[in-house]
């Protein structure tokens, strides 16, 4: 005796339980179906036919009783093996066709092969062949809503045949069709039966049932009549259940591509909703990029300012004490003591004033800066022609002068070398020994270049005869981190030496540093705001995905009925949410960069960072995965029978 395809033994199905009353729909159904049979199950509406078919097709499990498929107890099979059975052994044809509305006829037919992991080209070819065979060669790319009922039912028959369809379960396949289309569908089923497919046809129509070789009548969950049957002569061989255990199902890469394609289509069909959802992510990503770019740009400008002003430089000079009394002075001796402080590298006295300078018949009023040989070092201001004076020359009151760039071009307009020439500074002659690099360009203060530099002692002896003390002093701290500390140490030292606060300290470096730190916390705060908007974007994605799952419940049921595993559904919906947020992220990056460019062109300091762009994009990706997970899991866990019945 051949192994039966299907063997039911005392199958019972209850619904409800718990709060709702228990309804028993099937009361111990036993039957045996041989390979190649054409069986009709007839019964009035509500007699339990569909329930029985869901159990036969492994879409639902019986409450009690045993179901053997090709000799194997189905209750022993895992969910992946049942998915394998649904796609490799069964083919479903439903009264309501159950096609995926967003897919074309051909794509609908391809679905079972997709979950079986068949190669794309082969899949497309076979789907097209099947549709042509069923007379739909012209309709491959039409969507279900562009097809008549009869055509849709033929598409669903093609889908049932896609992976072989050895056992076709048809639940009222002609129920929604006019008589002519119904007749066509029945002729098709007859043909399939003749080719060796096992056919189980469910109907309430006795005329339709009469076309089957065997009729089983069901009433209120009991089998009341069975005309009996035997195996068809040319029955297709049964699937080998051993394959179910090793079947890989859909390949990861192929399935991902397919999932992304369908995700893209769904997004496109709901463009407006998608755009609104994306807004959160777009704003989040764009603002992260713009905020960080502005933060970085501002910081860089501060750093540049510090570099040109000197990040370690302070100024000290005599001042009126707050309690009244004469103005104090910072003496050369004070400076010697200050330069001994561990936080201080140099302490340079300065006397400066505008003096009339003459050379040949040219004369000009120039600011003449008398200081020590440390000037180029402290102000990071190199000499480009000749040299600067030395400490020894300063001590020896040598009458030497180094010219600023503009001072040089004023007196020597042909670009001739000034070295060795004598300038009359005030009433004293000074010999030119060098020219400084042009400074105006990077500091923004052009006057710096209209200056002369002379040794401190020679200056006091020859041009600033009335001055006993320096006008002010420039203090160079050991490092930018030490300026604040150096200022405090100097303040304490001078207070001790003077006994009162008759001096003032200017510390622009510390101010700039504070500004840089404030900028950091500002950037952090703005980035937090951006992160919150990403979060809001994520919630938007979750919301729209939950909506999608609800709207596409039936599609999920169809996919499960055609052999999708839970993980295939999970992957599909996760791909959708990820694609959604990736598109949002991409648009955000583009908008962020555009806003940044506009700001840059209008003079705002902006520095783009690749890390920020990638980071924001990465955040969008993670948002899609995290916020898409719950809806995707909800979809994957849907009960296929409920899903098929849902809207
Ligand atoms: P048929 O397909 O023969 O018209 P069904 O198998 O769809 O009948 O339903 C049989 C009976 O089971 C009906 O009385 C129906 O109300 C009940 N039923 C079906 N599904 C459920 C369910 N999920 N919960 C409770 N009762 C159900
Ligand atoms: Mg029914």
């Amino acid at each position: 005796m051949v192994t039966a395809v299907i063997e039911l033994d005392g199958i019972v199905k209850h619904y409800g339980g718990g709060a709702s009353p228990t309804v028993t729909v099937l009361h111990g159904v036993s039957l045996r179906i041989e390979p190649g049979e054409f069986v009709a199950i007839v019964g009035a509406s509500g007699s339990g036919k569909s329930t029985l078919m869901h159990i036969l097709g492994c879409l639902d499990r019986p409450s009690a009783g045993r179901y053997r498929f090709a000799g194997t107890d189905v209750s022993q099979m895992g969910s992946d093996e049942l998915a394998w059975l649904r796609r490799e052994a069964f083919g479903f044809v439903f009264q309501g066709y159950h096609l995926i509305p967003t897919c074309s006829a051909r794509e609908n037919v391809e679905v079972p092969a997709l979950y079986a992991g068949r190669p794309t080209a082969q899949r497309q070819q076979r789907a097209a062949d099947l549709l042509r065979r069923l007379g739909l060669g012209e309709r491959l790319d039409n969507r279900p809503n562009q097809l008549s009922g009869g055509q849709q039912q033929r598409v669903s028959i093609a889908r049932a045949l896609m992976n072989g369809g050895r056992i076709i379960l048809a639940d009222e396949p002609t129920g929604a069709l006019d008589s002519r289309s119904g007749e066509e569908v029945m002729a098709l089923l007859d043909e399939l039966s003749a080719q060796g497919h096992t056919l189980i046809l469910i109907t309430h129509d006795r005329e339709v049932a009469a076309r089957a070789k065997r009729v089983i009548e069901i009433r209120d969950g009991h089998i009341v009549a069975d005309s009996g049957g035997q195996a068809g002569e040319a029955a297709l061989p049964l699937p080998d259940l051993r394959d179910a255990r090793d079947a890989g199902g859909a390949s990861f890469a192929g399935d991902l591509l397919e999932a992304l394609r369908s995700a893209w289509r769904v997004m496109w069909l709901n463009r407006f909703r998608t755009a609104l959802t994306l807004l959160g992510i777009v704003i989040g990503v764009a603002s992260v990029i713009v905020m960080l770019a502005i933060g970085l740009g501002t910081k860089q400008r501060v750093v540049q300012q510090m570099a040109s002003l000197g990040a370690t430089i302070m100024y000290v000079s005599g001042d009126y004490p707050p309690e009244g009394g004469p103005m104090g002075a910072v003496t050369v001796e004070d400076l010697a003591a200050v330069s001994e402080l561990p936080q201080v590298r140099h302490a340079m006295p300065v006397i400066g004033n505008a003096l009339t300078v003459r050379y040949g018949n040219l004369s000009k009023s120039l600011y003449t800066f008398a200081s020590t040989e440390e000037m180029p070092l402290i102000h990071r201001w190199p000499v480009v022609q000749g040299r600067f004076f030395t400490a020894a020359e300063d001590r020896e009151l040598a009458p030497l002068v180094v010219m600023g760039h503009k001072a040089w071009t004023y007196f020597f307009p042909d670009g001739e070398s000034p070295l060795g020439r004598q300038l009359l500074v005030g009433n004293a002659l000074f010999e030119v020994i060098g020219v400084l690099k042009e400074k105006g360009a990077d500091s923004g203060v052009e006057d710096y270049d209209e200056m002369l530099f002379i040794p401190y002692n020679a200056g006091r002896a020859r041009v600033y005869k009335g001055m006993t003390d320096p006008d002010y002093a420039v203090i160079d701290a050991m490092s930018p981190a030490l300026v604040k500390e150096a200022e405090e140490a100097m303040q304490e030292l001078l207070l001790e030496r003077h006994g009162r606060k008759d001096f003032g300290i200017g510390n622009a470096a510390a101010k700039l540093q504070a500004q840089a730190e404030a900028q950091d916390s500002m950037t952090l705060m703005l980035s937090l705001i951006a992160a919150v908007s990403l979060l809001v974007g994520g919630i938007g994605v979750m919301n729209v995905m939950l909506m999608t799952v609800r709207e596409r419940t039936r599609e999920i049921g169809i996919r499960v009925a055609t052999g999708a595993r839970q993980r295939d559904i999970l992957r599909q919906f996760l791909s959708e949410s990820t694609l959604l947020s990736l598109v949002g992220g991409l648009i955000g990056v583009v908008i962020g960069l555009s806003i940044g460019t506009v700001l840059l062109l209008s003079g705002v300091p902006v520095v783009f960072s690749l890390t920020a762009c990638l980071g924001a994009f990465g955040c969008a990706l993670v948002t899609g995965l995290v916020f898409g997970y719950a809806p995707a899991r909800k979809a994957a866990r849907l009960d296929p029978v409920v899903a098929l019945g849902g809207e």
Side-chain angles (χ1 to χ4, degrees):
M1 190 172 148
V2 253
T3 320
V5 192
I6 284 168
E7 227 183 325
L8 298 185
D9 192 6
I11 293 290
V12 175
K13 179 71 187 176
H14 312 291
Y15 283 113
S20 52
T22 305
V23 191
T24 304
V25 180
L26 297 176
H27 302 266
V29 170
S30 301
L31 65 91
R32 187 183 152 92
I33 296 174
E34 309 294 339
E37 274 199 85
F38 185 175
V39 187
I41 297 175
V42 277
S45 180
S47 53
K49 305 181 298 291
S50 294
T51 307
L52 181 60
M53 190 195 84
H54 291 146
I55 289 173
L56 289 175
C58 301
L59 287 170
D60 207 351
R61 291 179 183 265
S63 312
R66 196 165 55 189
Y67 173 9
R68 283 205 199 141
F69 182 89
T72 303
D73 190 344
V74 165
S75 66
Q76 303 301 315
M77 298 174 82
S79 72
D80 282 1
E81 286 171 278
L82 292 177
W84 181 88
L85 260 190
R86 286 196 291 268
R87 66 178 182 262
E88 298 293 343
F90 295 113
F92 293 92
V93 180
F94 299 96
Q95 176 176 10
Y97 328 124
H98 287 346
L99 299 176
I100 299 172
T102 53
C103 292
S104 68
R106 179 168 51 190
E107 286 163 339
N108 265 292
V109 175
E110 279 179 49
V111 171
L114 177 72
Y115 292 122
R118 309 246 192 288
T120 314
Q122 186 191 328
R123 205 167 74 203
Q124 290 176 338
Q125 185 60 43
R126 177 162 168 82
D129 288 347
L130 278 171
L131 284 169
R132 268 184 220 114
R133 215 173 94 198
L134 300 190
L136 290 171
E138 313 281 277
R139 300 271 182 243
L140 299 184
D141 297 317
N142 288 44
R143 291 234 193 84
N145 63 6
Q146 297 164 323
L147 297 172
S148 72
Q151 288 170 330
Q152 290 188 59
Q153 196 58 297
R154 278 185 276 161
V155 172
S156 88
I157 292 173
R159 180 178 64 193
L161 294 171
M162 186 66 191
N163 287 347
R166 276 169 280 206
I167 300 121
I168 293 188
L169 295 169
D171 189 356
E172 311 263 14
T174 59
L177 299 178
D178 59 85
S179 54
R180 226 190 101 214
S181 309
E183 183 50 44
E184 279 172 14
V185 165
M186 284 313 298
L188 255 174
L189 293 179
D190 278 340
E191 209 177 298
L192 292 178
S193 168
Q195 287 163 10
H197 295 267
T198 305
L199 243 86
I200 302 173
L201 169 67
I202 283 173
T203 180
H204 64 272
D205 184 343
R206 287 186 179 276
E207 234 173 280
V208 172
R211 311 192 55 149
K213 303 202 178 69
R214 171 183 175 191
V215 179
I216 296 172
E217 196 177 337
I218 185 167
R219 191 178 301 152
D220 296 330
H222 299 274
I223 289 185
V224 293
D226 186 347
S227 68
Q230 63 200 49
E233 298 105 51
L236 295 173
L238 287 179
D240 188 343
L241 286 175
R242 278 170 302 186
D243 293 346
R245 289 178 205 285
D246 329 318
S251 75
F252 183 77
D255 185 42
L256 193 65
L257 201 72
E258 199 55 41
L260 286 177
R261 248 185 31 188
S262 87
W264 180 256
R265 187 159 38 206
V266 171
M267 276 171 55
W268 186 246
L269 284 174
N270 299 305
R271 297 186 272 288
F272 187 63
R273 188 172 81 184
T274 307
L276 282 180
T277 311
L278 288 186
L279 217 55
I281 291 197
V282 169
I283 292 173
V285 168
S287 48
V288 167
I289 289 173
V290 174
M291 304 286 172
L292 289 181
I294 293 178
L296 223 65
T298 313
K299 197 164 168 197
Q300 205 175 71
R301 179 178 275 189
V302 171
V303 168
Q304 265 168 9
Q305 265 172 341
M306 284 207 279
S308 89
L309 284 174
T312 52
I313 287 176
M314 291 174 283
Y315 297 88
V316 59
S317 60
D319 201 355
Y320 293 101
E323 67 272 14
M327 184 171 165
V330 174
T331 64
V332 176
E333 291 72 33
D334 285 337
L335 294 180
V338 166
S339 69
E340 294 298 309
L341 288 171
Q343 300 91 343
V344 172
R345 193 192 306 274
H346 304 289
M348 177 177 79
V350 177
I351 301 176
N353 218 335
L355 297 176
T356 304
V357 178
R358 281 181 238 274
Y359 175 71
N361 51 9
L362 292 173
S363 102
K364 189 171 172 65
S365 167
L366 290 178
Y367 190 84
T368 304
F369 189 95
S371 67
T372 65
E373 82 290 347
E374 290 158 337
M375 199 292 296
L377 213 67
I378 292 178
H379 287 297
R380 290 157 188 85
W381 199 350
V383 170
V384 288
Q385 289 182 49
R387 61 180 183 87
F388 210 74
F389 52 81
T390 63
E393 286 164 339
D394 186 12
R395 271 196 304 278
E396 288 156 16
L397 314 184
L400 303 173
V401 60
V402 176
M403 303 180 83
H405 190 268
K406 275 198 171 168
W408 168 52
T409 54
Y410 178 77
F411 285 109
F412 302 92
D414 302 332
E416 80 186 89
S417 168
L419 304 183
R421 304 301 169 91
Q422 299 281 331
L423 299 185
L424 190 63
V425 180
N427 296 318
L429 277 172
F430 282 76
E431 182 190 338
V432 180
I433 57 165
V435 177
L436 287 170
K437 187 177 176 209
E438 195 170 358
K439 189 140 183 147
D442 60 307
S443 70
V445 184
E446 295 189 21
D447 294 351
Y448 281 169
D449 291 316
E450 293 196 356
M451 277 165 78
L452 294 184
F453 294 84
I454 56 176
Y456 182 76
N457 289 310
R460 260 191 58 198
R462 295 169 200 270
V463 291
Y464 296 125
K465 290 180 188 125
M467 304 285 298
T468 43
D469 295 312
D471 284 333
Y472 66 95
V474 182
I475 313 296
D476 190 18
M478 282 291 179
S479 74
L482 285 174
V483 272
K484 194 74 202 155
E485 213 180 293
E487 180 190 339
E488 282 156 11
M490 181 163 67
Q491 168 119 349
E492 200 177 318
L493 177 76
L494 292 179
L495 267 178
E496 195 181 305
R497 290 176 65 92
H498 294 199
R500 56 184 196 142
K501 186 159 183 321
D502 56 357
F503 58 90
I505 299 174
N507 195 346
K511 266 185 222 139
L512 278 174
Q513 232 160 44
Q515 200 181 326
E517 276 156 26
Q519 187 58 49
D520 274 350
S521 50
M522 186 78 168
T523 304
L524 187 72
M525 207 182 73
L526 293 176
S527 304
L528 271 179
I529 294 173
V532 167
S533 96
L534 262 183
L535 189 75
V536 172
I539 294 169
V541 168
M542 176 136 98
N543 187 27
V544 84
M545 287 313 293
L546 284 172
M547 232 144 60
T548 303
V549 170
R550 167 119 43 99
E551 285 167 357
R552 286 157 67 200
T553 301
R554 178 173 290 178
E555 175 189 329
I556 296 163
I558 295 167
R559 289 180 182 276
V560 172
T562 51
R565 296 164 300 178
Q566 284 199 339
R567 83 183 85 132
D568 296 322
I569 303 290
L570 186 78
R571 199 184 294 164
Q572 180 180 354
F573 282 87
L574 262 184
S575 319
E576 289 191 17
S577 63
T578 309
L579 186 71
L580 195 68
S581 52
L582 273 186
V583 169
L586 208 65
I587 297 175
V589 168
V590 170
I591 292 186
L593 293 180
S594 316
I595 294 178
T597 308
V598 169
L599 288 177
L600 193 67
L601 293 178
S602 54
V604 178
V606 165
V607 173
F608 294 115
S609 103
L610 184 65
T611 327
C613 290
L614 292 180
F617 196 63
C619 283
L621 183 74
V622 171
T623 304
L625 283 174
V626 168
F627 287 92
Y629 185 75
R633 204 181 57 161
K634 185 177 166 197
R637 291 193 172 176
L638 279 175
D639 177 344
V641 173
V642 176
L644 277 174
E647 277 314 305

